[in-house]
Amino acid sequence: MKLTRRIPVTAPGQAIDLLVQACPELSKGRLKDAMNKGAVQLVQGKQHKRLRRAQSEVSSGAVLELHYDEDILQRKAPEPVLLADERSYSVWFKPAGLLSQGNEWGDHLALLRQVEQHFTNQRPVFLLHRLDREASGLVLIAHHKTMAATLSQLIQQQRISKTYRITVLGKVLPALLQQGEISLPLDGKACCTRFNFAAELQNPPRTVLDVALISGRKHQIRRHFAAVGHPVMGDPQYGQGNQDAAGLALQAVRLAFELPGKGLREYAVPATLLR
C-alpha cells in the first residue's frame, strides 16, 4: 500500500489520533511505525520536521504530512560502520544500499538517522556531503554547528581531498590514461574528473582507477566515464554492458584535510571493507 495524506489541523490534539482519523485504511500500529521511521512530518509555516512521538501534541493551524509506502517501511537498512569518533565529528563507512539522508518517505534507510540512533540522540548530526545510494565509502558527519561550518567551508574551498576507487568496463587506452582527466561539461557547467591507473582486470576486461573530483556535479564520475565509453561496473543508470551482480564499483576510499589548529587528518577505508 502506498498513500499520501496532507492533514490540516483544525483543533489541537495528539498526532496519532489525528492520523487515525484521517487514515482509516491504516491501523494505529502501522501509523506509529511510520512515525517512528520518519514518514510523518509536522509543517508549521515554512518549518518541516519529522514527528516521531505518537503522543505529540499538535496545535491548530499546523499540518501533518504522511507519506506511507509499505514496501519502503518494511525494508531493512544495511548497517554503517563507525571508523573514527572525533567527538566534534565522526567518520563513517556507508555501505551500498544505504541512503545518505532520508526523504519524505522516511529516514530509517538513511545513514544520518542511523548515526543519530548510534549516539542515542545525544548528539546533533550534520551531513556534510553525500554518496549515491548505490555507492559505498567514507562520509563525514559533524556533531555541532561550529564544526559543521568549518568542515563545510573546507569542502567549498576544495581543501578536503577525496579519493574514489572505481572499476570501469574495458581496458582504458594509454592515451586516455596519460591525459589523466575528463573535462566534459555536465548540465551546462564546466567540470573536471582526474584519475590515475590502479590495476587491470580480465574476464571481462576492466580497469581499476583512483579518481579525484575537481568539481562536484550530480553523478559526475559515473556520467563522465560512461561518456568516454568506460562506464563504471554495476552502474544501474549509466552505460551499457557494465552489469555486475556485485553492485556499483564506486567507493569513496580516502579523506584527507588540514583541520585548523589540529593539523592533518587522514582517513581510509580498511582493507576488510574495500570492494
Side-chain angles (χ1 to χ4, degrees):
M1 181 186 296
K2 184 175 181 178
L3 61 86
T4 298
R5 290 283 190 279
R6 181 177 172 85
I7 307 162
V9 181
T10 56
Q14 289 191 350
I16 190 62
D17 294 332
L18 297 169
L19 288 167
V20 166
Q21 184 177 0
C23 308
E25 58 270 76
L26 294 175
S27 68
K28 182 180 286 189
R30 288 189 175 190
L31 287 166
K32 286 183 176 180
D33 181 61
M35 293 186 74
N36 183 55
K37 292 176 179 175
V40 175
Q41 296 196 43
L42 176 66
V43 183
Q44 293 177 303
K46 295 183 178 181
Q47 291 187 335
H48 289 65
K49 72 172 184 178
R50 298 189 195 274
L51 197 62
R52 302 188 193 275
R53 289 184 62 252
Q55 285 74 37
S56 295
E57 291 290 335
V58 183
S59 303
S60 299
V63 174
L64 289 175
E65 290 186 352
L66 168 69
H67 294 268
Y68 185 93
D69 187 316
E70 186 174 6
D71 175 61
I72 291 175
L73 292 172
Q74 288 180 349
R75 294 179 194 171
K76 296 201 177 289
E79 292 187 6
V81 179
L82 176 61
L83 298 180
D85 182 1
E86 309 288 5
R87 303 303 299 174
S88 57
Y89 69 92
S90 53
V91 182
W92 292 79
F93 177 84
K94 185 194 84 67
L98 188 66
L99 295 166
S100 291
Q101 65 182 113
N103 54 32
E104 67 271 24
W105 299 99
D107 63 354
H108 72 294
L109 301 177
L111 172 66
L112 201 63
R113 176 58 178 160
Q114 293 204 22
V115 174
E116 277 185 337
Q117 292 176 315
H118 175 86
F119 292 119
T120 63
N121 296 309
Q122 298 302 305
R123 297 191 203 179
V125 293
F126 301 94
L127 184 68
L128 303 168
H129 58 110
R130 296 171 178 82
L131 282 178
D132 297 339
R133 181 181 65 82
E134 302 93 343
S136 62
L138 303 179
V139 178
L140 277 171
I141 304 288
H143 296 300
H144 62 65
K145 290 184 179 179
T146 301
M147 182 55 70
T150 297
L151 291 172
S152 294
Q153 186 175 44
L154 292 179
I155 291 171
Q156 291 170 4
Q157 296 172 345
Q158 298 184 357
R159 291 167 58 193
I160 293 185
S161 172
K162 302 177 187 176
T163 303
Y164 300 85
R165 173 67 61 93
I166 65 173
T167 302
V168 300
L169 179 66
K171 179 180 179 180
V172 178
L173 296 177
L176 183 55
L177 290 175
Q178 185 175 6
Q179 179 179 314
E181 68 176 44
I182 302 170
S183 298
L184 299 173
L186 295 175
D187 306 320
K189 297 179 180 179
C191 55
C192 180
T193 302
R194 292 180 181 162
F195 58 91
N196 295 304
F197 175 82
E200 189 173 299
L201 305 173
Q202 301 299 330
N203 300 320
R206 291 151 291 153
T207 306
V208 182
L209 302 167
D210 288 329
V211 177
L213 293 179
I214 308 307
S215 48
R217 310 300 175 206
K218 184 176 180 180
H219 296 170
Q220 179 176 319
I221 293 174
R222 298 162 62 180
R223 293 166 72 186
H224 264 174
F225 281 94
V228 298
H230 295 287
V232 177
M233 295 300 299
D235 193 327
Q237 192 168 350
Y238 304 102
Q240 295 182 340
N242 57 326
Q243 295 82 7
D244 190 336
L248 182 69
L250 189 159
Q251 194 169 68
V253 295
R254 181 178 176 273
L255 291 170
F257 51 93
E258 289 276 351
L259 196 60
K262 296 188 178 181
L264 179 64
R265 293 288 183 268
E266 293 185 272
Y267 305 95
V269 172
T272 54
L273 294 174
L274 286 173
R275 188 185 185 283

